[in-house]
Amino acid sequence: MDHLEELEHRSIYLIREAYHRFDPLGCLWSMGKDSTVLLHLVRKAFLGKFPFPVLHLDTGYKLAGIYRFRDRIAAEWGVPLVVVKNEAALAAGMGPDSAGRLACCTALKTEALKGALAEHGFRAVLLGIRRDEHGVRAKERYVSPRTADFTWDAGRQTAELWDLYARRESEEAHLRVHPLLHFTEADVWRYVRRERLPVCDLYFAKGGRRYRSIGCEPCCEPVASNAATVDDIIREIGEGRSEERDGRAQDKENARAMEQLRALGYM
Amino acid sequence: MRRLAVAFVGEVDHGKSTLIGRLLLESGSLSGRKEEAARSGALDLAHITDQLGREQDESCTVTSAQAFLRSGGREIALVDAPGHEEFIRSMLTGASSADAAVILVDAGEGVREETRRHALLVKLLRIPQAAVVVNKIDRAASPEAVYGVRAREIRALAAEIGLPLGAVVPASARHGAMVTGRGAGLPWYAGPTVLEAILAFREPDAAGGPARFSVQDVYDFTPRKVAAGRVERGEIAAGDRLIAVPGGAAVTVERIAAFPNGGLERLGSGCAGALVLDRPERVRRGLVLAPAAEAPVAARQVKGRVFCLGPRPLAVGARFVFRLATQDLRARIGAIEERFDTGALAPRPPEGTLAPLELGLLVLELDGECVAEDGNLSPALGRFVLEDDDGPAAFGMVVPWRASS
Ligand SMILES: Nc1nc2c(ncn2[C@@H]2O[C@H](COP(=O)(O)OP(=O)(O)OP(=O)(O)O)[C@@H](O)[C@H]2O)c(=O)[nH]1
Ligand SMILES: [Mg+2]
């Protein structure tokens, strides 16, 4: 088995374990490259089918290209898409400028997910996070419990031995399952190339700039780049020494922002 | 080649996180921003993996993390395990996924309780290759003599445990000697640097021999029913005639289904696949498919070397969920035949319980038949977890009842 195959088989095994053991299961799709790879792995695991719903936590602030990509892929792949919005917060004017970024992410993503979990009663959700994205994510486990108030105590995680994914029955309200944890950013792009996967065109450079990480319009900045194809991006990452989330405002707000966000239940 | 994972283990404060930080820094694996901060001293090398506020405040790894090293066109995952006894579950989370281990020993302190325990766990987990770093050599007044003492000490420990050791490298994680470059002050040492020792780790061989396929699930929403699962050893090919154990029902692999492009000829060891069988109704989750002539034996008892994770002791008669590959059963501890103190490496008289951090030889009575094999042949069928409502209470390595193929 080569490197990408090994990553792929490990992910598929976990996705199938989650489907068997954690019922009902949902999958989060942000339309970014990672969660699109996740969706593809779900299709591989279930031979082209989606045996559970796919959720988009829509903040209403996403870059326009993201919505176009979502609708195109959802139609082409037959994604059972459920769009989730925190309508109440949006109606009350929630936004990064009015309330601050931490409060905005919490309301429009974390609280929206809480609402969806309550409505659908999900036992677990699949998420496309990776260890190399951010220091605190390097501490994540494949199966990661969250309490009812969504907190994650990184320091008090149960043991995760091999792929036996044991879990704590008493405290957890839902489980986060992370099938891409072992992928790096470069792996994701190599996998996109190998599988010829569609990705949102915001990732490709136009006029000397591209998005390396995509999300909400007010909080994502394109980075300087001339990478216009997947091959270019792979080369750029191989040579480059910048950080993937350099364009992401929420990580920079203060040094421990990500740990705070994650402790509050952020993805 | 697949990416290897190397676990850094050993006693608390012996320098695991700092060494990982140093390796990342000197190999050019850090982002420009982090590199600058590390070079200027604004970023403590240990904090590259010790990212939690609590870890930085207490200068102590609490939960294992992974970072990616890039060197000479290769990528290696460095697993930072906590050394403190209290965080042994997290150490095991990191170590259980590793292909190789680096055991750190502080040149001044030498082998300590956690050094012994971690070395023993490396052996127990069947991590096939290990190297040693005698760290903080910068602090030794006569480094060559101190290195000699520590190298003998750790080799004696490895011999006692039966752990094969590679290089024993003197190094200073803090000052960067013998980590990626040789540095000054250690001219008497002719062996590899830490990085060279890591790059010398090899990809473990795929598990060969007669095929084993663990069934995860049977899907009926696909055009034809498929048995999803994983090849634990050997190879599965279209046309194979297999039996499902326990039970012994015969099935034939008609096709290996795949998406998006139709089907595959064969599945190798480690592959997650989906089999179209002639008699799909004969299989279900937990069964193991194997060639009839070389099929495993199923039994209602499993014997294993079991490590108690705590916080509570394991007692004869206690009941758990037993997980081995895709087999989920109920287990009751039938007997505790041996007990072993993993910090002192000393046997204790068996007396009906196994305390946290102790290793025991246990007999488990199961509520159904189970396929458990010698982990040297089928890694995934040779290890298990005992789980209670609080999560994993223990893990174990199967001790085969009799020699099997
Ligand atoms: N002088 C000297 N100090 C070192 C060296 N390596 C690490 N240290 C110091 O030793 C202390 C502990 O280092 P860590 O890297 O946090 O140790 P650790 O093994 O990761 O500890 P735990 O995660 O708690 O098990 C820190 O103060 C380091 O700066 C070294 O080579 N020389
Ligand atoms: Mg540490």
Side-chain angles (χ1 to χ4, degrees), chain A residues 1-3 6-10 12-21 40 43-49 51 131-132 134-136 138-141 152-171 181-184 186-187 190 195 237-243 245-246 252 255-256 259, chain B residues 1-3 28-35 49-57 61-66 68 70 75 87 89-90 92-93 96-97 125 203 216-217 219 221-223 226 228-230 257-260 269-274 285 309 323-326 328 383-385 387-392 395-397:
Chain A
M1 253 201 281
D2 72 16
H3 173 56
E6 204 249 341
L7 302 184
E8 175 186 75
H9 286 277
R10 234 195 289 175
I12 290 175
Y13 185 80
L14 170 55
I15 291 167
R16 288 174 172 161
E17 281 299 281
Y19 177 61
H20 178 84
R21 288 183 46 197
H40 178 68
R43 290 208 301 167
K44 282 203 156 185
F46 305 110
L47 303 167
K49 295 279 190 290
R131 284 197 182 104
D132 77 323
H134 191 282
V136 179
K139 302 273 184 194
E140 265 292 4
R141 304 291 183 252
W152 179 55
D153 187 347
R156 281 191 60 243
Q157 308 190 75
T158 55
E160 187 160 273
L161 289 140
W162 307 291
D163 37 25
L164 293 174
Y165 311 119
R167 60 177 212 264
R168 215 177 342 199
E169 204 57 79
S170 40
E171 289 180 26
L181 207 55
H182 47 283
F183 278 68
T184 63
D187 292 331
R190 289 184 210 126
E195 298 292 304
I237 294 169
E239 293 161 358
R241 304 289 297 280
S242 61
E243 286 174 33
R245 296 174 70 94
D246 272 354
K252 286 191 216 148
R256 291 182 182 178
E259 188 180 347
Chain B
M1 177 170 180
R2 63 185 188 80
R3 180 165 54 219
S29 306
L30 295 180
S31 68
R33 187 163 72 187
K34 286 212 178 107
E35 170 159 357
T49 49
D50 286 346
Q51 282 273 327
L52 300 180
R54 175 177 166 201
E55 293 178 321
Q56 302 191 350
D57 296 343
T61 305
V62 167
T63 182
S64 60
Q66 284 195 19
F68 298 94
R70 291 191 282 185
E75 278 178 14
F87 309 127
R89 290 176 209 80
S90 181
L92 286 161
T93 301
S96 71
S97 64
L125 293 167
E203 183 175 345
Q216 265 183 298
D217 220 333
Y219 301 139
F221 48 76
T222 42
V226 296
R230 185 172 60 191
F259 178 86
S269 175
C271 287
R285 179 179 171 87
L309 296 166
R323 296 193 196 282
L324 186 154
T326 63
D328 315 311
R383 58 201 186 199
F384 58 85
V385 164
E387 204 181 304
D388 61 22
D389 283 349
D390 291 328
F395 76 91
M397 309 304 279

Side-chain angles (χ1 to χ4, degrees), chain B residues 337-386:
Chain B
E337 294 184 348
E338 290 174 18
R339 258 173 84 209
F340 196 75
D341 179 327
T342 58
L345 298 186
R348 297 240 180 102
E351 52 179 34
T353 60
L354 191 70
L357 310 180
E358 285 182 345
L359 181 65
L361 185 61
L362 268 61
V363 177
L364 303 171
E365 315 284 353
L366 305 173
D367 70 344
E369 290 196 317
C370 167
V371 174
E373 287 198 301
D374 181 350
N376 291 314
L377 305 174
S378 306
L381 293 173
R383 58 201 186 199
F384 58 85
V385 164
L386 298 178

Side-chain angles (χ1 to χ4, degrees), chain A residues 59-233:
Chain A
T59 61
Y61 287 100
K62 298 289 172 189
L63 291 151
I66 294 182
Y67 293 104
R68 283 196 300 274
F69 181 75
R70 177 188 75 187
D71 296 339
R72 174 166 79 87
I73 299 304
E76 277 177 22
W77 289 5
V79 180
L81 185 68
V82 178
V83 176
V84 177
K85 267 188 171 177
N86 184 347
E87 300 283 5
L90 283 168
M94 175 55 73
D97 299 330
S98 60
R101 293 189 163 117
L102 187 65
C104 184
C105 273
T106 302
L108 298 185
K109 292 185 184 168
T110 310
E111 294 299 326
L113 177 59
K114 275 188 196 170
L117 289 176
E119 190 185 329
H120 297 266
F122 292 122
R123 181 86 188 80
V125 285
L126 303 178
L127 264 87
I129 67 159
R130 313 186 326 265
R131 284 197 182 104
D132 77 323
E133 265 178 284
H134 191 282
V136 179
R137 286 189 176 169
K139 302 273 184 194
E140 265 292 4
R141 304 291 183 252
Y142 285 105
V143 176
S144 182
R146 292 294 184 279
T147 55
D149 59 2
F150 259 43
T151 52
W152 179 55
D153 187 347
R156 281 191 60 243
Q157 308 190 75
T158 55
E160 187 160 273
L161 289 140
W162 307 291
D163 37 25
L164 293 174
Y165 311 119
R167 60 177 212 264
R168 215 177 342 199
E169 204 57 79
S170 40
E171 289 180 26
E172 70 213 20
H174 78 281
L175 300 164
R176 304 266 174 100
V177 179
H178 303 134
L180 296 191
L181 207 55
H182 47 283
F183 278 68
T184 63
E185 184 188 14
D187 292 331
V188 165
W189 284 110
R190 289 184 210 126
Y191 190 72
V192 163
R193 175 168 66 186
R194 193 187 80 166
E195 298 292 304
R196 299 199 173 83
L197 293 182
V199 283
C200 182
D201 54 16
L202 293 165
Y203 284 110
F204 302 111
K206 272 177 237 50
R209 280 147 69 83
R210 74 176 190 91
Y211 287 89
R212 191 158 165 192
S213 174
I214 62 174
C216 294
E217 202 257 311
C219 295
C220 276
E221 285 294 326
V223 295
S225 166
N226 289 314
T229 65
V230 173
D231 283 322
D232 291 348
I233 291 174

Side-chain angles (χ1 to χ4, degrees), chain B residues 185-400:
Chain B
L186 305 170
W188 43 267
Y189 172 75
T193 62
V194 177
L195 181 61
E196 285 163 353
I198 288 172
L199 293 173
F201 289 134
R202 277 165 304 142
E203 183 175 345
D205 295 332
R212 302 286 184 262
F213 182 88
S214 286
V215 178
Q216 265 183 298
D217 220 333
V218 177
Y219 301 139
D220 54 12
F221 48 76
T222 42
R224 291 272 314 268
K225 270 191 183 181
V226 296
R230 185 172 60 191
V231 183
E232 311 288 20
R233 70 192 270 206
E235 203 175 77
I236 299 278
D240 281 357
R241 293 159 176 277
L242 304 170
I243 62 166
V245 187
V251 291
T252 300
V253 180
E254 286 186 358
R255 223 160 47 75
I256 299 168
F259 178 86
N261 27 13
L264 302 169
E265 278 302 304
R266 53 193 67 248
L267 285 177
S269 175
C271 287
L275 310 180
V276 177
L277 302 172
D278 61 336
R279 306 290 298 270
E281 71 284 1
R282 291 184 165 178
V283 301
R284 58 180 162 75
R285 179 179 171 87
L287 298 185
V288 176
L289 307 184
E294 294 173 293
V297 182
R300 293 181 77 98
Q301 265 191 350
V302 166
K303 197 169 195 170
R305 293 203 183 285
V306 170
F307 182 82
C308 176
L309 296 166
R312 288 183 294 281
L314 304 181
V316 170
R319 290 167 193 282
F320 297 92
V321 171
F322 171 92
R323 296 193 196 282
L324 186 154
T326 63
Q327 306 174 75
D328 315 311
L329 296 154
R330 304 248 152 214
R332 181 186 160 275
I333 298 179
I336 299 179
E337 294 184 348
E338 290 174 18
R339 258 173 84 209
F340 196 75
D341 179 327
T342 58
L345 298 186
R348 297 240 180 102
E351 52 179 34
T353 60
L354 191 70
L357 310 180
E358 285 182 345
L359 181 65
L361 185 61
L362 268 61
V363 177
L364 303 171
E365 315 284 353
L366 305 173
D367 70 344
E369 290 196 317
C370 167
V371 174
E373 287 198 301
D374 181 350
N376 291 314
L377 305 174
S378 306
L381 293 173
R383 58 201 186 199
F384 58 85
V385 164
L386 298 178
E387 204 181 304
D388 61 22
D389 283 349
D390 291 328
F395 76 91
M397 309 304 279
V398 172
V399 174

Side-chain angles (χ1 to χ4, degrees), chain B residues 43-88:
Chain B
L43 174 63
D44 185 322
L45 289 175
H47 293 180
I48 294 167
T49 49
D50 286 346
Q51 282 273 327
L52 300 180
R54 175 177 166 201
E55 293 178 321
Q56 302 191 350
D57 296 343
E58 296 170 18
S59 295
C60 177
T61 305
V62 167
T63 182
S64 60
Q66 284 195 19
F68 298 94
L69 173 94
R70 291 191 282 185
S71 180
R74 273 185 68 190
E75 278 178 14
I76 293 182
L78 306 182
V79 182
D80 188 13
H84 197 290
E85 175 192 298
E86 188 187 337
F87 309 127
I88 192 76

